Amino acid sequence: VQALKQKYGDALLLLDGGDIYQGSLASNINYGEATIAAMNHMGYAAAAVGNHEFDFGAGPNGGDDRLAVMKKRFVEARFPFLAANILDKNTGKPVQWPNHHPSILLDINKIKVGIIGAATPETKVTTNPENIVDLEFAPPAPYIVAEAKKLRQAGAEIIILLAHIGARCRSLKDPFDASSCQTGSHLIELVKDLPQGTVHAALGGHT
């Protein structure tokens, strides 16, 4: 990343597709705190909300809020977490969490770049269900379209979809060639379902 910053300067945009603090001992022993500190140091601009962001629940001391650890990590981050399609089951409206947004608009090297987040609907079966009992992970396409419209109205020149949604492809050599991807690959199908020109690039995670 330092080498890229030296080469591109303010034109570098560092993003993450989610599942940032699960799977390594250095992260798991402190419930993701070390990962957030590292990402802050590296200068991330945004991260998608992955299914494993919900894993740690209320934390080691327990409590009523099953999202307590995740919210604490969000507050510690010097970059926003993005997902437009996570809803509160009780209200049917997008969740209201600290440092979490459906989308953001950044000025990158004098170019207005909109970034829309999306979480995989598979989250309901790929994390501890007790931690997300009050949440709905809605099909993301209509939320992406709505956020893209808002971003364009706000002056976005480039729109990026940052999705914790994956695809399974035999070859990743050409980012414009999806011919080797399995039918039903979620990110590929999602992009196909969006109206032409909704986003300029789609960056995925999860698989």
Side-chain angles (χ1 to χ4, degrees), residues 95-117:
V95 293
Q96 299 291 319
W97 296 329
N99 198 26
H100 168 272
H101 308 277
S103 65
I104 56 171
L105 184 63
L106 302 177
D107 191 323
I108 305 297
N109 202 30
K110 299 182 180 179
I111 298 173
K112 291 189 180 299
V113 180
I115 306 171
I116 304 168

mmCIF file with all atom_site columns, all heavy atoms in Angstrom, residues 95-117:
data_model
loop_
_atom_site.group_PDB
_atom_site.id
_atom_site.type_symbol
_atom_site.label_atom_id
_atom_site.label_alt_id
_atom_site.label_comp_id
_atom_site.label_asym_id
_atom_site.label_entity_id
_atom_site.label_seq_id
_atom_site.pdbx_PDB_ins_code
_atom_site.Cartn_x
_atom_site.Cartn_y
_atom_site.Cartn_z
_atom_site.occupancy
_atom_site.B_iso_or_equiv
_atom_site.pdbx_formal_charge
_atom_site.auth_seq_id
_atom_site.auth_comp_id
_atom_site.auth_asym_id
_atom_site.auth_atom_id
_atom_site.pdbx_PDB_model_num
ATOM 1   N N   . VAL A 1 95  ? -31.051 0.130  8.889   1.00 0.00 ? 95  VAL A N   1
ATOM 2   C CA  . VAL A 1 95  ? -30.547 0.218  10.262  1.00 0.00 ? 95  VAL A CA  1
ATOM 3   C C   . VAL A 1 95  ? -29.818 1.540  10.478  1.00 0.00 ? 95  VAL A C   1
ATOM 4   O O   . VAL A 1 95  ? -29.283 2.142  9.543   1.00 0.00 ? 95  VAL A O   1
ATOM 5   C CB  . VAL A 1 95  ? -29.600 -0.956 10.571  1.00 0.00 ? 95  VAL A CB  1
ATOM 6   C CG1 . VAL A 1 95  ? -30.363 -2.271 10.595  1.00 0.00 ? 95  VAL A CG1 1
ATOM 7   C CG2 . VAL A 1 95  ? -28.446 -1.022 9.571   1.00 0.00 ? 95  VAL A CG2 1
ATOM 8   N N   . GLN A 1 96  ? -29.820 1.983  11.715  1.00 0.00 ? 96  GLN A N   1
ATOM 9   C CA  . GLN A 1 96  ? -29.119 3.200  12.111  1.00 0.00 ? 96  GLN A CA  1
ATOM 10  C C   . GLN A 1 96  ? -28.027 2.819  13.107  1.00 0.00 ? 96  GLN A C   1
ATOM 11  O O   . GLN A 1 96  ? -28.288 2.660  14.297  1.00 0.00 ? 96  GLN A O   1
ATOM 12  C CB  . GLN A 1 96  ? -30.111 4.192  12.739  1.00 0.00 ? 96  GLN A CB  1
ATOM 13  C CG  . GLN A 1 96  ? -31.228 4.631  11.827  1.00 0.00 ? 96  GLN A CG  1
ATOM 14  C CD  . GLN A 1 96  ? -30.730 5.514  10.695  1.00 0.00 ? 96  GLN A CD  1
ATOM 15  O OE1 . GLN A 1 96  ? -29.885 6.380  10.895  1.00 0.00 ? 96  GLN A OE1 1
ATOM 16  N NE2 . GLN A 1 96  ? -31.251 5.276  9.492   1.00 0.00 ? 96  GLN A NE2 1
ATOM 17  N N   . TRP A 1 97  ? -26.817 2.650  12.618  1.00 0.00 ? 97  TRP A N   1
ATOM 18  C CA  . TRP A 1 97  ? -25.677 2.299  13.452  1.00 0.00 ? 97  TRP A CA  1
ATOM 19  C C   . TRP A 1 97  ? -24.616 3.384  13.359  1.00 0.00 ? 97  TRP A C   1
ATOM 20  O O   . TRP A 1 97  ? -24.528 4.076  12.335  1.00 0.00 ? 97  TRP A O   1
ATOM 21  C CB  . TRP A 1 97  ? -25.060 0.967  13.007  1.00 0.00 ? 97  TRP A CB  1
ATOM 22  C CG  . TRP A 1 97  ? -25.934 -0.222 13.142  1.00 0.00 ? 97  TRP A CG  1
ATOM 23  C CD1 . TRP A 1 97  ? -26.903 -0.433 14.079  1.00 0.00 ? 97  TRP A CD1 1
ATOM 24  C CD2 . TRP A 1 97  ? -25.916 -1.400 12.324  1.00 0.00 ? 97  TRP A CD2 1
ATOM 25  N NE1 . TRP A 1 97  ? -27.493 -1.662 13.883  1.00 0.00 ? 97  TRP A NE1 1
ATOM 26  C CE2 . TRP A 1 97  ? -26.898 -2.274 12.821  1.00 0.00 ? 97  TRP A CE2 1
ATOM 27  C CE3 . TRP A 1 97  ? -25.160 -1.791 11.215  1.00 0.00 ? 97  TRP A CE3 1
ATOM 28  C CZ2 . TRP A 1 97  ? -27.143 -3.517 12.252  1.00 0.00 ? 97  TRP A CZ2 1
ATOM 29  C CZ3 . TRP A 1 97  ? -25.397 -3.026 10.639  1.00 0.00 ? 97  TRP A CZ3 1
ATOM 30  C CH2 . TRP A 1 97  ? -26.383 -3.885 11.158  1.00 0.00 ? 97  TRP A CH2 1
ATOM 31  N N   . PRO A 1 98  ? -23.778 3.533  14.376  1.00 0.00 ? 98  PRO A N   1
ATOM 32  C CA  . PRO A 1 98  ? -22.705 4.527  14.289  1.00 0.00 ? 98  PRO A CA  1
ATOM 33  C C   . PRO A 1 98  ? -21.720 4.176  13.172  1.00 0.00 ? 98  PRO A C   1
ATOM 34  O O   . PRO A 1 98  ? -21.350 3.011  13.002  1.00 0.00 ? 98  PRO A O   1
ATOM 35  C CB  . PRO A 1 98  ? -22.026 4.439  15.670  1.00 0.00 ? 98  PRO A CB  1
ATOM 36  C CG  . PRO A 1 98  ? -22.390 3.082  16.191  1.00 0.00 ? 98  PRO A CG  1
ATOM 37  C CD  . PRO A 1 98  ? -23.763 2.799  15.655  1.00 0.00 ? 98  PRO A CD  1
ATOM 38  N N   . ASN A 1 99  ? -21.335 5.186  12.414  1.00 0.00 ? 99  ASN A N   1
ATOM 39  C CA  . ASN A 1 99  ? -20.332 5.045  11.356  1.00 0.00 ? 99  ASN A CA  1
ATOM 40  C C   . ASN A 1 99  ? -20.725 4.005  10.310  1.00 0.00 ? 99  ASN A C   1
ATOM 41  O O   . ASN A 1 99  ? -19.869 3.333  9.730   1.00 0.00 ? 99  ASN A O   1
ATOM 42  C CB  . ASN A 1 99  ? -18.957 4.709  11.942  1.00 0.00 ? 99  ASN A CB  1
ATOM 43  C CG  . ASN A 1 99  ? -17.824 4.973  10.970  1.00 0.00 ? 99  ASN A CG  1
ATOM 44  O OD1 . ASN A 1 99  ? -17.924 5.809  10.077  1.00 0.00 ? 99  ASN A OD1 1
ATOM 45  N ND2 . ASN A 1 99  ? -16.738 4.248  11.140  1.00 0.00 ? 99  ASN A ND2 1
ATOM 46  N N   . HIS A 1 100 ? -22.006 3.864  10.061  1.00 0.00 ? 100 HIS A N   1
ATOM 47  C CA  . HIS A 1 100 ? -22.517 2.948  9.036   1.00 0.00 ? 100 HIS A CA  1
ATOM 48  C C   . HIS A 1 100 ? -23.434 3.739  8.108   1.00 0.00 ? 100 HIS A C   1
ATOM 49  O O   . HIS A 1 100 ? -24.264 4.533  8.564   1.00 0.00 ? 100 HIS A O   1
ATOM 50  C CB  . HIS A 1 100 ? -23.303 1.803  9.683   1.00 0.00 ? 100 HIS A CB  1
ATOM 51  C CG  . HIS A 1 100 ? -24.090 0.992  8.684   1.00 0.00 ? 100 HIS A CG  1
ATOM 52  N ND1 . HIS A 1 100 ? -25.373 1.317  8.306   1.00 0.00 ? 100 HIS A ND1 1
ATOM 53  C CD2 . HIS A 1 100 ? -23.747 -0.110 7.990   1.00 0.00 ? 100 HIS A CD2 1
ATOM 54  C CE1 . HIS A 1 100 ? -25.797 0.435  7.420   1.00 0.00 ? 100 HIS A CE1 1
ATOM 55  N NE2 . HIS A 1 100 ? -24.835 -0.437 7.216   1.00 0.00 ? 100 HIS A NE2 1
ATOM 56  N N   . HIS A 1 101 ? -23.284 3.525  6.803   1.00 0.00 ? 101 HIS A N   1
ATOM 57  C CA  . HIS A 1 101 ? -24.060 4.277  5.818   1.00 0.00 ? 101 HIS A CA  1
ATOM 58  C C   . HIS A 1 101 ? -24.442 3.365  4.649   1.00 0.00 ? 101 HIS A C   1
ATOM 59  O O   . HIS A 1 101 ? -23.734 2.398  4.359   1.00 0.00 ? 101 HIS A O   1
ATOM 60  C CB  . HIS A 1 101 ? -23.244 5.454  5.269   1.00 0.00 ? 101 HIS A CB  1
ATOM 61  C CG  . HIS A 1 101 ? -22.672 6.333  6.324   1.00 0.00 ? 101 HIS A CG  1
ATOM 62  N ND1 . HIS A 1 101 ? -23.392 7.335  6.936   1.00 0.00 ? 101 HIS A ND1 1
ATOM 63  C CD2 . HIS A 1 101 ? -21.441 6.342  6.899   1.00 0.00 ? 101 HIS A CD2 1
ATOM 64  C CE1 . HIS A 1 101 ? -22.632 7.937  7.836   1.00 0.00 ? 101 HIS A CE1 1
ATOM 65  N NE2 . HIS A 1 101 ? -21.436 7.360  7.826   1.00 0.00 ? 101 HIS A NE2 1
ATOM 66  N N   . PRO A 1 102 ? -25.526 3.681  3.954   1.00 0.00 ? 102 PRO A N   1
ATOM 67  C CA  . PRO A 1 102 ? -25.845 2.947  2.722   1.00 0.00 ? 102 PRO A CA  1
ATOM 68  C C   . PRO A 1 102 ? -24.813 3.224  1.628   1.00 0.00 ? 102 PRO A C   1
ATOM 69  O O   . PRO A 1 102 ? -24.450 2.342  0.859   1.00 0.00 ? 102 PRO A O   1
ATOM 70  C CB  . PRO A 1 102 ? -27.218 3.484  2.329   1.00 0.00 ? 102 PRO A CB  1
ATOM 71  C CG  . PRO A 1 102 ? -27.778 4.107  3.561   1.00 0.00 ? 102 PRO A CG  1
ATOM 72  C CD  . PRO A 1 102 ? -26.599 4.624  4.324   1.00 0.00 ? 102 PRO A CD  1
ATOM 73  N N   . SER A 1 103 ? -24.357 4.492  1.558   1.00 0.00 ? 103 SER A N   1
ATOM 74  C CA  . SER A 1 103 ? -23.388 4.894  0.547   1.00 0.00 ? 103 SER A CA  1
ATOM 75  C C   . SER A 1 103 ? -22.666 6.140  1.023   1.00 0.00 ? 103 SER A C   1
ATOM 76  O O   . SER A 1 103 ? -23.086 6.785  1.992   1.00 0.00 ? 103 SER A O   1
ATOM 77  C CB  . SER A 1 103 ? -24.078 5.159  -0.794  1.00 0.00 ? 103 SER A CB  1
ATOM 78  O OG  . SER A 1 103 ? -24.957 6.281  -0.680  1.00 0.00 ? 103 SER A OG  1
ATOM 79  N N   . ILE A 1 104 ? -21.566 6.462  0.337   1.00 0.00 ? 104 ILE A N   1
ATOM 80  C CA  . ILE A 1 104 ? -20.832 7.680  0.638   1.00 0.00 ? 104 ILE A CA  1
ATOM 81  C C   . ILE A 1 104 ? -20.378 8.324  -0.667  1.00 0.00 ? 104 ILE A C   1
ATOM 82  O O   . ILE A 1 104 ? -20.306 7.661  -1.704  1.00 0.00 ? 104 ILE A O   1
ATOM 83  C CB  . ILE A 1 104 ? -19.600 7.427  1.534   1.00 0.00 ? 104 ILE A CB  1
ATOM 84  C CG1 . ILE A 1 104 ? -18.674 6.382  0.887   1.00 0.00 ? 104 ILE A CG1 1
ATOM 85  C CG2 . ILE A 1 104 ? -19.999 7.049  2.933   1.00 0.00 ? 104 ILE A CG2 1
ATOM 86  C CD1 . ILE A 1 104 ? -17.346 6.231  1.598   1.00 0.00 ? 104 ILE A CD1 1
ATOM 87  N N   . LEU A 1 105 ? -20.064 9.608  -0.597  1.00 0.00 ? 105 LEU A N   1
ATOM 88  C CA  . LEU A 1 105 ? -19.522 10.337 -1.736  1.00 0.00 ? 105 LEU A CA  1
ATOM 89  C C   . LEU A 1 105 ? -18.179 10.921 -1.320  1.00 0.00 ? 105 LEU A C   1
ATOM 90  O O   . LEU A 1 105 ? -18.097 11.670 -0.347  1.00 0.00 ? 105 LEU A O   1
ATOM 91  C CB  . LEU A 1 105 ? -20.477 11.451 -2.167  1.00 0.00 ? 105 LEU A CB  1
ATOM 92  C CG  . LEU A 1 105 ? -20.082 12.250 -3.407  1.00 0.00 ? 105 LEU A CG  1
ATOM 93  C CD1 . LEU A 1 105 ? -20.032 11.359 -4.649  1.00 0.00 ? 105 LEU A CD1 1
ATOM 94  C CD2 . LEU A 1 105 ? -21.067 13.406 -3.627  1.00 0.00 ? 105 LEU A CD2 1
ATOM 95  N N   . LEU A 1 106 ? -17.127 10.553 -2.050  1.00 0.00 ? 106 LEU A N   1
ATOM 96  C CA  . LEU A 1 106 ? -15.775 10.990 -1.729  1.00 0.00 ? 106 LEU A CA  1
ATOM 97  C C   . LEU A 1 106 ? -15.213 11.831 -2.866  1.00 0.00 ? 106 LEU A C   1
ATOM 98  O O   . LEU A 1 106 ? -15.595 11.663 -4.024  1.00 0.00 ? 106 LEU A O   1
ATOM 99  C CB  . LEU A 1 106 ? -14.859 9.779  -1.503  1.00 0.00 ? 106 LEU A CB  1
ATOM 100 C CG  . LEU A 1 106 ? -15.264 8.789  -0.408  1.00 0.00 ? 106 LEU A CG  1
ATOM 101 C CD1 . LEU A 1 106 ? -14.291 7.621  -0.387  1.00 0.00 ? 106 LEU A CD1 1
ATOM 102 C CD2 . LEU A 1 106 ? -15.307 9.478  0.954   1.00 0.00 ? 106 LEU A CD2 1
ATOM 103 N N   . ASP A 1 107 ? -14.288 12.711 -2.521  1.00 0.00 ? 107 ASP A N   1
ATOM 104 C CA  . ASP A 1 107 ? -13.538 13.470 -3.521  1.00 0.00 ? 107 ASP A CA  1
ATOM 105 C C   . ASP A 1 107 ? -12.163 12.827 -3.631  1.00 0.00 ? 107 ASP A C   1
ATOM 106 O O   . ASP A 1 107 ? -11.326 12.981 -2.740  1.00 0.00 ? 107 ASP A O   1
ATOM 107 C CB  . ASP A 1 107 ? -13.427 14.931 -3.096  1.00 0.00 ? 107 ASP A CB  1
ATOM 108 C CG  . ASP A 1 107 ? -12.901 15.816 -4.226  1.00 0.00 ? 107 ASP A CG  1
ATOM 109 O OD1 . ASP A 1 107 ? -12.029 15.353 -4.986  1.00 0.00 ? 107 ASP A OD1 1
ATOM 110 O OD2 . ASP A 1 107 ? -13.351 16.961 -4.342  1.00 0.00 ? 107 ASP A OD2 1
ATOM 111 N N   . ILE A 1 108 ? -11.939 12.080 -4.695  1.00 0.00 ? 108 ILE A N   1
ATOM 112 C CA  . ILE A 1 108 ? -10.689 11.367 -4.897  1.00 0.00 ? 108 ILE A CA  1
ATOM 113 C C   . ILE A 1 108 ? -9.934  12.024 -6.040  1.00 0.00 ? 108 ILE A C   1
ATOM 114 O O   . ILE A 1 108 ? -10.317 11.894 -7.210  1.00 0.00 ? 108 ILE A O   1
ATOM 115 C CB  . ILE A 1 108 ? -10.931 9.872  -5.203  1.00 0.00 ? 108 ILE A CB  1
ATOM 116 C CG1 . ILE A 1 108 ? -11.786 9.229  -4.105  1.00 0.00 ? 108 ILE A CG1 1
ATOM 117 C CG2 . ILE A 1 108 ? -9.600  9.137  -5.372  1.00 0.00 ? 108 ILE A CG2 1
ATOM 118 C CD1 . ILE A 1 108 ? -11.142 9.220  -2.737  1.00 0.00 ? 108 ILE A CD1 1
ATOM 119 N N   . ASN A 1 109 ? -8.898  12.766 -5.692  1.00 0.00 ? 109 ASN A N   1
ATOM 120 C CA  . ASN A 1 109 ? -8.075  13.417 -6.709  1.00 0.00 ? 109 ASN A CA  1
ATOM 121 C C   . ASN A 1 109 ? -8.930  14.296 -7.635  1.00 0.00 ? 109 ASN A C   1
ATOM 122 O O   . ASN A 1 109 ? -8.791  14.263 -8.853  1.00 0.00 ? 109 ASN A O   1
ATOM 123 C CB  . ASN A 1 109 ? -7.296  12.372 -7.520  1.00 0.00 ? 109 ASN A CB  1
ATOM 124 C CG  . ASN A 1 109 ? -6.066  12.953 -8.192  1.00 0.00 ? 109 ASN A CG  1
ATOM 125 O OD1 . ASN A 1 109 ? -5.474  13.893 -7.680  1.00 0.00 ? 109 ASN A OD1 1
ATOM 126 N ND2 . ASN A 1 109 ? -5.708  12.397 -9.322  1.00 0.00 ? 109 ASN A ND2 1
ATOM 127 N N   . LYS A 1 110 ? -9.860  15.058 -7.007  1.00 0.00 ? 110 LYS A N   1
ATOM 128 C CA  . LYS A 1 110 ? -10.754 15.997 -7.697  1.00 0.00 ? 110 LYS A CA  1
ATOM 129 C C   . LYS A 1 110 ? -11.823 15.294 -8.545  1.00 0.00 ? 110 LYS A C   1
ATOM 130 O O   . LYS A 1 110 ? -12.439 15.924 -9.406  1.00 0.00 ? 110 LYS A O   1
ATOM 131 C CB  . LYS A 1 110 ? -9.953  16.972 -8.559  1.00 0.00 ? 110 LYS A CB  1
ATOM 132 C CG  . LYS A 1 110 ? -8.988  17.838 -7.755  1.00 0.00 ? 110 LYS A CG  1
ATOM 133 C CD  . LYS A 1 110 ? -8.247  18.820 -8.643  1.00 0.00 ? 110 LYS A CD  1
ATOM 134 C CE  . LYS A 1 110 ? -7.287  19.676 -7.807  1.00 0.00 ? 110 LYS A CE  1
ATOM 135 N NZ  . LYS A 1 110 ? -6.530  20.620 -8.658  1.00 0.00 ? 110 LYS A NZ  1
ATOM 136 N N   . ILE A 1 111 ? -12.044 14.011 -8.292  1.00 0.00 ? 111 ILE A N   1
ATOM 137 C CA  . ILE A 1 111 ? -13.134 13.271 -8.943  1.00 0.00 ? 111 ILE A CA  1
ATOM 138 C C   . ILE A 1 111 ? -14.119 12.839 -7.859  1.00 0.00 ? 111 ILE A C   1
ATOM 139 O O   . ILE A 1 111 ? -13.714 12.278 -6.834  1.00 0.00 ? 111 ILE A O   1
ATOM 140 C CB  . ILE A 1 111 ? -12.604 12.035 -9.697  1.00 0.00 ? 111 ILE A CB  1
ATOM 141 C CG1 . ILE A 1 111 ? -11.652 12.467 -10.817 1.00 0.00 ? 111 ILE A CG1 1
ATOM 142 C CG2 . ILE A 1 111 ? -13.756 11.206 -10.270 1.00 0.00 ? 111 ILE A CG2 1
ATOM 143 C CD1 . ILE A 1 111 ? -10.956 11.317 -11.501 1.00 0.00 ? 111 ILE A CD1 1
ATOM 144 N N   . LYS A 1 112 ? -15.389 13.109 -8.077  1.00 0.00 ? 112 LYS A N   1
ATOM 145 C CA  . LYS A 1 112 ? -16.406 12.714 -7.093  1.00 0.00 ? 112 LYS A CA  1
ATOM 146 C C   . LYS A 1 112 ? -16.765 11.243 -7.316  1.00 0.00 ? 112 LYS A C   1
ATOM 147 O O   . LYS A 1 112 ? -17.304 10.880 -8.369  1.00 0.00 ? 112 LYS A O   1
ATOM 148 C CB  . LYS A 1 112 ? -17.640 13.604 -7.212  1.00 0.00 ? 112 LYS A CB  1
ATOM 149 C CG  . LYS A 1 112 ? -17.387 15.039 -6.767  1.00 0.00 ? 112 LYS A CG  1
ATOM 150 C CD  . LYS A 1 112 ? -18.666 15.830 -6.677  1.00 0.00 ? 112 LYS A CD  1
ATOM 151 C CE  . LYS A 1 112 ? -18.410 17.263 -6.226  1.00 0.00 ? 112 LYS A CE  1
ATOM 152 N NZ  . LYS A 1 112 ? -17.802 17.312 -4.879  1.00 0.00 ? 112 LYS A NZ  1
ATOM 153 N N   . VAL A 1 113 ? -16.450 10.427 -6.329  1.00 0.00 ? 113 VAL A N   1
ATOM 154 C CA  . VAL A 1 113 ? -16.648 8.980  -6.411  1.00 0.00 ? 113 VAL A CA  1
ATOM 155 C C   . VAL A 1 113 ? -17.692 8.553  -5.390  1.00 0.00 ? 113 VAL A C   1
ATOM 156 O O   . VAL A 1 113 ? -17.529 8.776  -4.190  1.00 0.00 ? 113 VAL A O   1
ATOM 157 C CB  . VAL A 1 113 ? -15.333 8.223  -6.157  1.00 0.00 ? 113 VAL A CB  1
ATOM 158 C CG1 . VAL A 1 113 ? -15.555 6.707  -6.237  1.00 0.00 ? 113 VAL A CG1 1
ATOM 159 C CG2 . VAL A 1 113 ? -14.256 8.653  -7.154  1.00 0.00 ? 113 VAL A CG2 1
ATOM 160 N N   . GLY A 1 114 ? -18.770 7.964  -5.870  1.00 0.00 ? 114 GLY A N   1
ATOM 161 C CA  . GLY A 1 114 ? -19.792 7.409  -4.995  1.00 0.00 ? 114 GLY A CA  1
ATOM 162 C C   . GLY A 1 114 ? -19.539 5.935  -4.754  1.00 0.00 ? 114 GLY A C   1
ATOM 163 O O   . GLY A 1 114 ? -19.197 5.197  -5.681  1.00 0.00 ? 114 GLY A O   1
ATOM 164 N N   . ILE A 1 115 ? -19.687 5.503  -3.521  1.00 0.00 ? 115 ILE A N   1
ATOM 165 C CA  . ILE A 1 115 ? -19.483 4.099  -3.162  1.00 0.00 ? 115 ILE A CA  1
ATOM 166 C C   . ILE A 1 115 ? -20.723 3.599  -2.445  1.00 0.00 ? 115 ILE A C   1
ATOM 167 O O   . ILE A 1 115 ? -21.139 4.172  -1.431  1.00 0.00 ? 115 ILE A O   1
ATOM 168 C CB  . ILE A 1 115 ? -18.244 3.924  -2.267  1.00 0.00 ? 115 ILE A CB  1
ATOM 169 C CG1 . ILE A 1 115 ? -17.009 4.544  -2.938  1.00 0.00 ? 115 ILE A CG1 1
ATOM 170 C CG2 . ILE A 1 115 ? -18.000 2.445  -1.980  1.00 0.00 ? 115 ILE A CG2 1
ATOM 171 C CD1 . ILE A 1 115 ? -15.799 4.600  -2.045  1.00 0.00 ? 115 ILE A CD1 1
ATOM 172 N N   . ILE A 1 116 ? -21.317 2.537  -2.992  1.00 0.00 ? 116 ILE A N   1
ATOM 173 C CA  . ILE A 1 116 ? -22.534 1.940  -2.421  1.00 0.00 ? 116 ILE A CA  1
ATOM 174 C C   . ILE A 1 116 ? -22.175 0.607  -1.792  1.00 0.00 ? 116 ILE A C   1
ATOM 175 O O   . ILE A 1 116 ? -21.508 -0.223 -2.408  1.00 0.00 ? 116 ILE A O   1
ATOM 176 C CB  . ILE A 1 116 ? -23.587 1.711  -3.517  1.00 0.00 ? 116 ILE A CB  1
ATOM 177 C CG1 . ILE A 1 116 ? -23.895 3.015  -4.251  1.00 0.00 ? 116 ILE A CG1 1
ATOM 178 C CG2 . ILE A 1 116 ? -24.862 1.116  -2.919  1.00 0.00 ? 116 ILE A CG2 1
ATOM 179 C CD1 . ILE A 1 116 ? -24.705 2.805  -5.524  1.00 0.00 ? 116 ILE A CD1 1
ATOM 180 N N   . GLY A 1 117 ? -22.627 0.391  -0.573  1.00 0.00 ? 117 GLY A N   1
ATOM 181 C CA  . GLY A 1 117 ? -22.372 -0.878 0.103   1.00 0.00 ? 117 GLY A CA  1
ATOM 182 C C   . GLY A 1 117 ? -23.542 -1.832 -0.016  1.00 0.00 ? 117 GLY A C   1
ATOM 183 O O   . GLY A 1 117 ? -24.696 -1.417 -0.134  1.00 0.00 ? 117 GLY A O   1
#
